[in-house]
Structures are given as C-alpha cells and as structure tokens.
Amino acid sequence: MSFRTTTATDYVEDVSPGTGSLPPRTWYASSDTETLSLNGSWRFRLSPTADAEDDSFAAEGYDAGDWAEVSVPGHWVLQGHGSPIYTNHLYPFPVDPPHVPTGNPTGDHLHTFDLPSDWPSDGGAVLRFDGVESCARVWLNGTDIGEFKGSRLPHEFAVGHLLKPGGNVLAVRVHQWSAGSYLEDQDQWWLPGIFRDVTLLHRPAGGVLDFFVHASYDHVEGLGTLRVDSDVDGRVTVPALDIDVATGESVTVPVRPWTAETPHLYDGVLATEGERVPLRVGFRTVALEDGRIKVNGTPLLFKGVNRHEWHPERGRALDLATMREDVLLMKRHNINAVRTSHYPPHPAFLDLCDEYGLWVVDECDLETHGFTEQAWRDNPVDDDRWTPALLDRAARMVERDKNHPSVVIWSLGNEAGTGRGLTAMAEWIRGRDGSRLIHYEGDIDCRDTDVYSRMYADHAEVEKIGRGLDGGTHKRRGLPFILCEYGHAMGNGPGGIADYQHLFESYDRIQGGFIWEWIDHGIKDERYGFAYGGDFGEELHDGNFVCDGLLFPDRTPSPGLIEYKKVLEPVRIVGDGADGTVRVTNAYDFADLSALAFEWSYQVDGETVESGVLSVPELAPGASADVKLPDPPADARGGETQWTVRATLAADTTWGPKAHLVAWAQFPLSPRPFTAVAQNDGPVLGERRITLGPAAFDARTGALRSIGGVDVGGLRLDVWRAPTDNDNGAPWQPDLRYGPLWRELGLHRMQHRLESVELGDDALTVRTRVAPAAREVALRTVYRWTSDGTRLRLTVSVAPEGDWTLPLPRLGIRLGLPGSADRARWFGGGPDEAYPDTKSASMVGRWETTIDALQTPYVRPQENGARADVRWVEIGGLRVEGEPEFWFTARRWTTEQLDAAEHLNDLQAGDTVWVNLDHGQQGIGSQSCGPGALPQYQLRPAPAEFTFLFSEIHG
C-alpha cells in the first residue's frame, strides 16, 4: 500500500492560476477614494526550499526583528540574497512539468502597517499586487487569503473584513520556481521577488468595479462615438465635448482623434454612487482592411522596438521616472511603436504611451521556449490542463489594459509553440474585445491571428513576402506582414536596418517591424562594470546575449539607436545639391509638418560658412514639395562644399524641446581636391636609419620610426578586428559566421615577412608578404614612401594570393603613437562610430573629441569606434590625410587586448595610442540573431591601393 501526503506548498506545482483573488478588472491609477501604498522596506527571510520554514511567520505577533530588510518593489537576488540567473530559452531546472526542484529559493516577506487616521470606516478594501515572480501566497493579520501565479500580471484580494486601524501584518511567501515558471521562459534574467507595487485600495459602497471605455472614430465623418460599460451604474462626463451620459449609453460627437503622432486625449470622469474615476479618452478605430492594419482609416507603418523592463540596479522594478525616460527617448529617436516583450509592462507605462503617443502591441505573460529542446513535447499550450492558466493570463492582460488607446494589438505571447491553449486565448480575447487585432508570431498559418508575423527574416525573404510570393495559406496571403523582431541590437550594430526600412516603405503589405531590443540588461557590478550571463556562477547561462539593446544599461543611447533614429526619420529630404533644389516628403502617417522648422547650412571643408531658414510647406502626410535652396555663398578657398538641411521642432513639445533635431540630409556640391605632394626628397641611407623628408626609418627593416618630432611605432598592414557579437553570430545559424571562421583561418595572428627594402631616387619601397600560419593564402603588400621635404606620403598596394573564400574584417594600416595623445580632430563622418551598413547617421563635418570618448562602451568589448568617410584626422601631433576617404579608429589598447577582454573593466590604458587607418571595413549585419552583412557591405579580398599623407602639426 502506498500513499502520498499533501503539503502546505502543493499549490506551487498546481497548474491552476491560483485561488482567492478577485476577477481581473481594469487598472486605474487614481480615484477620489483612499489608497495606501505598501511599498517600502519589508522584513525578509530567504529559505533554500519551499518547505524549509513553517507558516508561523504569518501570525500576528511574530518577531522578525532578526530578519534582513529588502525594498519592495524589488528582487531579492539584486539585494544581496542569492544570485540572478540568465538564460535565453533553456529552463534552469529539469523539464518535468509541472514539477520544480526541491531546491526552490523561497522568500518570506513581512510588512506591518497602520491605516491612515482618515481611512474610511465604511465599505471594503482591496489588496493589489501588480507583479510578483513567480508564485506568491498571502496572509493578512494571520488569515490565509490566497495564492497566485502570473508574474507580470495584477492580482487583487478582498481584505476589508481583515483590516484594523493599526498593526496590520501583511505576510507574503514568494517562491522562485513554480508551475507558472514553465509559462515564463522569456529571454531575460530570472529575478524572484515582489517587483511591482503593492497597494491597499478603499472600496466604498457603490464604488467602481470594472468598466470598459469604447471610444471609436469615424474618419470619414470626423465623429467619435463614446460608450462606457460599467459593472456599477453611473454617469460619464467629458466637459470638453459637452458629454454627460449614463454608463452603457452611446454618444457621437465631433472629436480630434488619437494617434501615436497626434495623441489627443479628452479628460473625463466616470462617477458612480460611491466613487469618481478620472478617464483619459482617446478616440480611434483599429481595423484590418484591404489586407492592412489601419487606424482611423490610415495604414500604419510600425517603427518599433521590443521593450523589456530593465534597470541596471533594480532589474524589472521600474519607477515612473525611468518609464517616462524610456518613452521620451523613444519619441526623440523617431520610434513610434512598442511591443511589450514578452509580458504586459507596468500599467503606468501604458499611461505614458497614451499621453505621449506610441502604438503598443501588448503581449501576454507567456513563453514556453524551453520546450523546443524536446520538439515541443509536453508543451503546456497544447495541454488542456494548462488552459485555465493561459486564459487567466489573457484575461488579466486584456481587462487590465483595455482602456488604453495606445494598445492597438493584443499578442498571445512569444515562442510558445502552437496548441489548443493559444486558440482558446484568441477566441476569448475576440469575444471580449473585438476592437483590436490579435498577434502571435508562432502561428505561422495565421489560424488564430490577424497579422502574419516573423522574426529575423532576411532582406530577400522580406522582399519576397512584400511581393506576395511567399505562399502559405490563403488566409495568410491576405494578411499584413510585420517583423515582430529584427535588427538584433547586440553589441556593435545592428547593421542593415536602412535596407530593411527601404523594403518596409516599398511594399504596402509590409507594415514595419520592431528592433530587438530596447535596452541592454547588464547588471551594475563593481567587478565587471556591467555583469551578464555567467558572471554569477550560473549552472546554465547564455552569456552576454542578454545585452542586445539600443540603449546601454545606464540608458545611454548606443550608436545603434542613433542610426535607427536616422533610418526612421519622418521627413525625407532628397536631392543632389547641384541644381539647388531638394525634395521634402512628409513620411508621417497622420501629422502634417506644421510642428517642424527647416533650415539650410552651407559647409566648406566641413565648416559652416552660412545658414538660414528654409521655407517648407505644411505638407500633409505622404505629400512632397520641391524646395529651392539659395545660391551658394561666394567662397574663394576652393575646398569641398556641401549643403545640409535640417528639420527641427519649431516649439517645445511634451516630448522634446524646441530645435530638437528630427531629420537631416546632406548634399555634396563640389568634391575635395586632394593635396598633391611634389616628390622632391629622396631617401638617404645612414648607419642605422633611413631618412626621407621629415621621417626616419629603420635601415634594416624599413619600419617607420618617427615623423618630425613624433615617434611612430608598429606601422603595418592590419586586417584583424576584435569580432563583434554580430561577427560571431549565433551557433544555431546555418549561414556562415565569419568571426569564428576568421579566427580559424588565423586572421588574428597574421605574420609579416619582409621581402625587400628598396631605396630609389625618389622613394623608399618596402615589400612584404602578410599571411597566417598553416595557410597558403596571403596578402602581398607594398609600402611606397615619398616626401616633398615637409610631408610624407605613403601608398599601400595590396594584392591577394591564394583562394580567399572569406571577406576580411578590415583592410588598412595600424600604427602606434605616444600615450600623451589625448584628442582627435577630424573632417569626415561623425560624431559617432559608423561601418559600411551602419553609416546612415554619420554626418560629414568637423569633429573633435578625446581618445577615451572615441570608444563605444559595449558591455562585452569588441570592435568599435570607427569614424567613416574621413578626409583628414589630427591626432598625437600628426595630421593624416587620405585618398580615398578612409575610416579611422584610435584607442589606448591593442586590437588583441580588445579581443581578449570580456568586460569593460578588463581594458586598461597602455602607454601607446593605437590608430587604425582603414581603406575598408567589413559590414556589421545582425547575425547575433539575424542575417549577416549583406553582400554589398562585405569586404572581399581584392587588389587595392590607398594613400595617406602624414605631416607634423606645429604650434
């Protein structure tokens, strides 16, 4: 005979969503009833297992004086109790649903609170948890009131009958692992704790329960229709529209519609017998028409990002200021849409999206990606036992967020395979809210969805889809297409996004996409600067794959975000400059150009010599106008000339200050003349050195030693760069991953064989063969030096030998300058780094910065900091001009040291500044989780010749 005893923690492995909580309802931030925030310092005890401690801590009078303290909202593993774990898709525990390990870190939380003296004595009260990972059991004043799962979703409990004026004891037991963990396998850190707000809400008699604001817009008639359905009868007033109607009653009036570009909200009030709730009403209609996603009758083009919630010290416990910073950064970088990957965000974030204007794809807290390791066997979304939990998650998302005009699409979740549970979720959502569309990327045949969605499809496939040649089911062929993830922003990159945007704008069916992702999830750490997967001793981890954002962890924009802003510009300015005319096109979907001011400037050799206002009509969306530039200013210098046209905010807005740059373009007028060098001086052989004009060379090797008074060391051909995350690619990809192949070929350890040092009448010629050990491929390299007496000219000729099957990382020369060099000035692209497929945002001009500021601080160090299209650079006492234009990079460590570093703290400045002057660079691509560099951006070995002119800077 055998038997199984039940335990007090069986709920942890129960597939149900929980017990005791109230039905889900809409979330609102305030009303005229009392609320009490229970955020703050809580007592905390961590146990190694779910059954390690009894429940006596929940009883009144329990002495927790020797317990630690943690901040709520917060994650205990970021407050000195245990460690975070990062996995992309692997479950960090055995896959045996719904079971979890006995070793299950469990945090007991205690908080004692008094009711305010004016807390009403009538009515009830609700205790609301906005987010707890991953399973919680709750007691109030010794009474067990329930338990719940669904980490990024709200749960409320009726507690009015349990409250007392003072000394209330709230006890919460939180388990890191539960059956719910199988539904929360998102690509992020596993971070247990009470990480969102805990609030006590007074619920007066006759107070508001749930309500649904229906606010549609007829774009033909310009009319909005409002109806507010409420569980409790009341009245709805919107003073600006002279609306005063009963709940459940429709009213139609002329309105200004809500869009992400023109986010007009009307303030209103829902008043019941016992409560008044402020409303912010946005009128808009979402529809699937003619195979396109339309709002207010206009097709959308999503210029989006995927956004995880993240703070480098607080994890997913975000405050309102941080959320607002995210929204403002998005608006200022021309982003118009957010996919809330892969869970509903803090509800206050959606309030901000309503206010400032962002389209939102609201995604359910669901991902079961780890089941892909077993071909989706036992996947919960295709197991009826889990369907109540799935429906609960869908309902809690929809009911909480249904009154936000910014939410235009519901997403069932992410990377959860396929199954009956997803169909049930879609059917329930359609029954509850038919006013929005449904998304789920894994539904490849679009059985349950209204949008054909893919991740990381390459450019060729996207174009094929845009042309309608992708096949698929009849239903899918008639649906709009979006890339819910593309442009993987890991490390240096992403590359090729301008090419994607061109496709988005070329085919009506393609309605944009969402870059993966918004922010690097680096954890601030004294040891590393920012820590990533594996830095906390995890058994399984996915390294720095968690650092794949357009923002660095401290919310500094990366070059990738600057590039994306340029690619997304809502104003297109094109022309050749020669005829003095530019065409301005309004690329907004809804807004005209009345909010923008335009200006022109004229540069000679990168310096602005004149500027003025450019008169541009207030073009309607999609409209264009040809605008005449003034006559070029007279200038006798005979230098390189160009026009620059800028579009800026004409006045302060809610999201940006007056003169904030929105869009720009440059048009070359006359090319630069290259400085000729008369070859007056010939090389002179001394005892140990060769002199040539201002330069000295080693007599035996022909190696450059100095130019005037500036020491120069190590000048030689260089083809290696510290591989980027996109160079290295992802192991699961079938395409060639050049980073590992470069290393296998030996490009990081090229050997330089000196073949000859030749002194001619007017030139010093050094011939070399550059090749990796154990390989027969090589680069025959000739350095030809000449001088006019004060300047030194180097022409480098490169000829490949052997069967080169790979592109080169870079092609140019490297040299070392004294460590006293601290600044660089240049005429060329800037101010930030650029590579062949990431140079849309590189503006030609005169720039200056420090050597340290030239570095891009990627969380995992890698190739960075190249400036493109450089005409000349001044650094360390030297001026270097190039023919043709070149890339330059300068840093206080070698490429080899950069390559070896795992964290920024590994990089230590040496006594040399290493400078790369590159004729060519390999493109970046997005192969850390997408396609590599397109063929036109690959640096294929081929005969090449390039020239640099060196001169010492005096004074």
Side-chain angles (χ1 to χ4, degrees):
M1 178 178 180
S2 64
F3 64 93
R4 180 182 183 276
T5 59
T6 60
T7 71
T9 55
D10 278 357
Y11 63 88
V12 173
E13 294 184 340
D14 192 332
V15 299
S16 73
T19 59
S21 59
L22 296 169
R25 64 180 182 132
T26 191
W27 191 97
Y28 50 93
S30 63
S31 75
D32 63 348
T33 64
E34 285 72 10
T35 64
L36 176 64
S37 172
L38 301 182
N39 296 345
S41 180
W42 290 43
R43 290 290 182 174
F44 176 77
R45 175 182 65 186
L46 181 63
S47 302
T49 70
D51 294 315
E53 303 286 350
D54 59 29
D55 301 340
S56 61
F57 82 102
E60 296 180 86
Y62 184 87
D63 183 7
D66 60 345
W67 286 21
E69 293 188 15
V70 294
S71 294
V72 171
H75 306 278
W76 70 68
V77 294
L78 296 183
Q79 300 184 64
H81 305 279
S83 298
I85 299 169
Y86 168 59
T87 60
N88 167 31
H89 78 280
L90 296 174
Y91 289 104
F93 48 79
V95 179
D96 183 24
H99 305 298
V100 295
T102 301
N104 186 1
T106 295
D108 290 335
H109 299 68
L110 274 177
H111 187 62
T112 302
F113 64 93
D114 300 328
L115 295 179
S117 58
D118 58 351
W119 189 267
S121 59
D122 63 322
V126 165
L127 177 64
R128 183 176 69 205
F129 294 88
D130 282 316
V132 183
E133 182 178 330
S134 73
C135 173
R137 185 177 179 184
V138 186
W139 296 261
L140 182 61
N141 292 329
T143 298
D144 185 348
I145 61 174
E147 47 82 17
F148 61 90
K149 307 177 190 76
S151 297
R152 270 67 72 172
L153 297 162
H155 295 83
E156 293 183 328
F157 297 88
V159 297
H161 60 294
L162 298 175
L163 291 173
K164 54 187 182 181
N168 293 281
V169 178
L170 176 59
V172 184
R173 172 163 284 173
V174 180
H175 306 282
Q176 174 155 15
W177 311 124
S178 70
S181 301
Y182 285 99
L183 304 180
E184 298 173 3
D185 189 27
Q186 294 97 337
D187 176 10
Q188 61 182 352
W189 294 95
W190 299 88
L191 298 175
I194 305 171
F195 69 95
R196 287 187 185 159
D197 306 283
V198 183
T199 311
L200 186 69
L201 303 92
H202 175 239
R203 305 309 307 137
V208 171
L209 293 178
D210 190 25
F211 62 92
F212 197 161
V213 177
H214 303 273
S216 60
Y217 180 69
D218 182 340
H219 65 280
V220 176
E221 300 295 333
L223 301 175
T225 299
L226 177 66
R227 185 184 84 246
V228 179
D229 296 332
S230 175
D231 288 356
V232 176
D233 292 341
R235 295 197 70 78
V236 176
T237 55
V238 184
L241 298 175
D242 293 326
I243 290 176
D244 185 347
V245 296
T247 55
E249 180 180 335
S250 294
V251 59
T252 300
V253 294
V255 299
R256 292 171 58 188
W258 187 97
T259 75
E261 296 168 7
T262 58
H264 191 77
L265 294 170
Y266 291 93
D267 290 324
V269 174
L270 166 61
T272 64
E273 179 184 354
E275 187 175 8
R276 292 171 60 85
V277 175
L279 304 177
R280 303 208 76 190
V281 182
F283 291 89
R284 57 104 186 97
T285 295
V286 183
L288 180 62
E289 295 177 353
D290 306 319
R292 304 178 75 182
I293 304 166
K294 295 184 179 180
V295 172
N296 304 337
T298 298
L300 299 184
L301 185 61
F302 291 117
K303 302 174 180 180
V305 291
N306 287 274
R307 174 185 177 268
H308 268 298
E309 295 181 301
W310 188 251
H311 187 279
E313 296 173 78
R314 301 191 298 271
R316 288 190 285 279
L318 298 191
D319 58 8
L320 183 61
T322 300
M323 290 185 263
R324 179 175 281 109
E325 184 178 359
D326 278 349
V327 171
L328 293 177
L329 281 168
M330 290 176 190
K331 295 291 290 187
R332 291 169 184 170
H333 289 85
N334 295 330
I335 290 163
N336 72 3
V338 179
R339 176 179 175 227
T340 68
S341 54
H342 297 295
Y343 43 83
H346 191 292
F349 179 77
L350 298 180
D351 287 339
L352 296 169
C353 293
D354 294 342
E355 177 182 353
Y356 292 100
L358 288 167
W359 307 114
V360 175
V361 177
D362 199 358
E363 194 147 89
C364 194
D365 190 9
L366 172 62
E367 180 166 336
T368 64
H369 198 177
F371 285 91
T372 189
E373 294 294 313
Q374 53 203 61
W376 298 106
R377 188 176 61 257
D378 297 328
N379 185 11
V381 304
D382 201 27
D383 183 334
D384 291 340
R385 294 175 300 167
W386 295 82
T387 300
L390 303 182
L391 291 174
D392 180 76
R393 288 170 184 251
R396 291 188 183 278
M397 172 183 69
V398 171
E399 301 295 6
R400 193 197 76 167
D401 298 343
K402 60 182 177 284
N403 293 325
H404 290 283
S406 57
V407 177
V408 293
I409 295 176
W410 301 117
S411 180
L412 302 180
N414 183 69
E415 293 176 323
T418 57
R420 293 161 287 175
L422 290 165
T423 299
M425 293 169 70
E427 290 175 349
W428 185 91
I429 292 173
R430 283 200 175 90
R432 178 57 173 151
D433 177 27
S435 70
R436 295 175 173 92
L437 306 183
I438 293 178
H439 166 274
Y440 176 66
E441 179 267 341
D443 185 7
I444 196 69
D445 292 326
C446 302
R447 179 182 64 178
D448 300 318
T449 59
D450 302 306
V451 181
Y452 178 30
S453 176
R454 291 283 302 282
M455 296 179 180
Y456 307 108
D458 63 25
H459 300 76
E461 184 178 5
V462 170
E463 181 167 23
K464 188 176 180 181
I465 292 169
R467 296 174 62 193
L469 302 177
D470 55 303
T473 63
H474 176 75
K475 178 184 178 183
R476 193 183 84 182
R477 293 198 301 274
L479 293 181
F481 174 77
I482 64 171
L483 278 171
C484 68
E485 294 181 19
Y486 82 108
H488 199 252
M490 184 177 176
N492 188 334
I497 55 175
D499 305 87
Y500 272 118
Q501 192 66 24
H502 175 73
L503 293 171
F504 298 166
E505 296 176 6
S506 297
Y507 297 97
D508 288 346
R509 184 188 184 190
I510 305 174
Q511 294 198 250
F514 298 80
I515 292 287
W516 186 269
E517 65 157 303
W518 177 236
I519 187 169
D520 286 343
H521 300 199
I523 294 176
K524 190 173 181 180
D525 188 281
E526 292 182 357
R527 300 166 298 169
Y528 305 119
F530 292 110
Y532 49 77
D535 289 338
F536 298 95
E538 300 102 305
E539 178 183 8
L540 295 174
H541 66 86
D542 286 287
N544 68 311
F545 202 69
V546 76
C547 294
D548 46 12
L550 294 169
L551 294 179
F552 295 123
D554 62 0
R555 281 182 163 73
T556 299
S558 75
L561 181 56
I562 306 304
E563 174 80 357
Y564 197 37
K565 174 187 177 180
K566 175 62 179 168
V567 167
L568 297 181
E569 286 177 341
V571 180
R572 300 298 190 212
I573 308 168
V574 298
D576 62 12
D579 63 358
T581 301
V582 296
R583 167 156 286 202
V584 179
T585 301
N586 181 354
Y588 285 112
D589 292 327
F590 297 93
D592 63 24
L593 298 187
S594 59
L596 301 181
F598 290 80
E599 62 184 37
W600 61 267
S601 59
Y602 183 80
Q603 289 84 39
V604 177
D605 287 338
E607 292 186 303
T608 295
V609 297
E610 198 167 327
S611 62
V613 173
L614 188 65
S615 180
V616 175
E618 296 180 359
L619 298 169
S624 299
D626 291 329
V627 180
K628 186 70 174 175
L629 294 168
D631 292 333
D635 188 271
R637 283 181 283 177
E640 178 180 353
T641 59
Q642 68 179 14
W643 295 102
T644 301
V645 177
R646 293 176 171 87
T648 63
L649 290 180
D652 291 345
T653 70
T654 59
W655 54 265
K658 179 180 179 180
H660 166 76
L661 183 62
V662 174
W664 59 272
Q666 292 185 311
F667 311 102
L669 198 57
S670 62
R672 70 182 175 117
F674 187 69
T675 304
V677 178
Q679 298 176 359
N680 297 331
D681 283 16
V684 177
L685 178 62
E687 183 178 351
R688 293 185 177 179
R689 69 175 187 170
I690 299 168
T691 58
L692 177 62
F697 299 81
D698 184 281
R700 183 176 59 85
T701 65
L704 178 64
R705 296 304 185 208
S706 64
I707 300 175
V710 179
D711 291 336
V712 180
L715 188 149
R716 65 182 189 181
L717 187 79
D718 194 14
V719 299
W720 181 242
R721 73 184 188 194
T724 68
D725 292 315
N726 287 305
D727 289 336
N728 287 331
W732 62 81
Q733 293 172 326
D735 300 335
L736 293 177
R737 297 185 294 126
Y738 289 129
L741 292 174
W742 288 337
R743 205 178 294 276
E744 180 182 348
L745 182 59
L747 298 189
H748 62 305
R749 49 176 176 78
M750 298 288 274
Q751 297 185 21
H752 297 249
R753 190 185 81 210
L754 177 63
E755 294 188 329
S756 66
V757 178
E758 303 169 6
L759 277 68
D761 292 339
D762 61 354
L764 168 66
T765 303
V766 180
R767 301 182 187 277
T768 66
R769 185 177 189 271
V770 183
R775 308 294 179 185
E776 61 179 357
V777 295
L779 299 170
R780 291 276 181 181
T781 306
V782 178
Y783 308 88
R784 187 174 188 272
W785 299 93
T786 58
S787 176
D788 63 359
T790 59
R791 293 170 295 179
L792 183 69
R793 181 184 180 103
L794 167 65
T795 297
V796 182
S797 301
V798 180
E801 289 184 348
D803 184 15
W804 284 89
T805 60
L806 302 177
L808 296 172
R810 66 172 0 119
L811 180 66
I813 60 170
R814 176 171 73 170
L815 56 92
L817 295 177
S820 58
D822 63 348
R823 300 190 69 81
R825 295 179 62 245
W826 73 97
F827 172 26
D832 298 307
E833 74 180 21
Y835 292 82
D837 54 352
T838 65
K839 56 184 284 191
S840 299
S842 183
M843 180 183 286
V844 173
R846 297 256 188 131
W847 308 102
E848 181 174 0
T849 192
T850 65
I851 301 301
D852 293 339
L854 286 171
Q855 314 313 307
T856 304
Y858 294 113
V859 175
R860 186 194 73 81
Q862 56 198 271
E863 166 62 31
N864 73 89
R867 269 55 180 182
D869 302 319
V870 177
R871 282 72 163 161
W872 55 256
V873 59
E874 294 179 347
I875 182 172
L878 288 182
R879 178 184 174 97
V880 185
E881 300 175 57
E883 183 183 13
E885 295 154 2
F886 59 98
W887 274 270
F888 99 87
T889 310
R891 52 177 68 103
R892 297 189 182 278
W893 35 79
T894 65
T895 298
E896 291 73 21
Q897 291 167 328
L898 182 64
D899 189 11
E902 296 292 335
H903 297 86
L904 288 171
N905 288 4
D906 296 335
L907 294 170
Q908 301 297 321
D911 57 4
T912 301
V913 170
W914 292 98
V915 179
N916 278 90
L917 308 172
D918 290 318
H919 174 65
Q921 277 272 358
Q922 166 78 358
I924 297 297
S926 183
Q927 204 172 0
S928 52
C929 195
L934 289 166
Q936 62 266 36
Y937 305 122
Q938 294 181 9
L939 183 60
R940 292 288 171 179
E945 185 171 281
F946 46 94
T947 296
F948 298 107
L949 182 63
F950 300 88
S951 56
E952 186 179 8
I953 301 170
H954 298 282

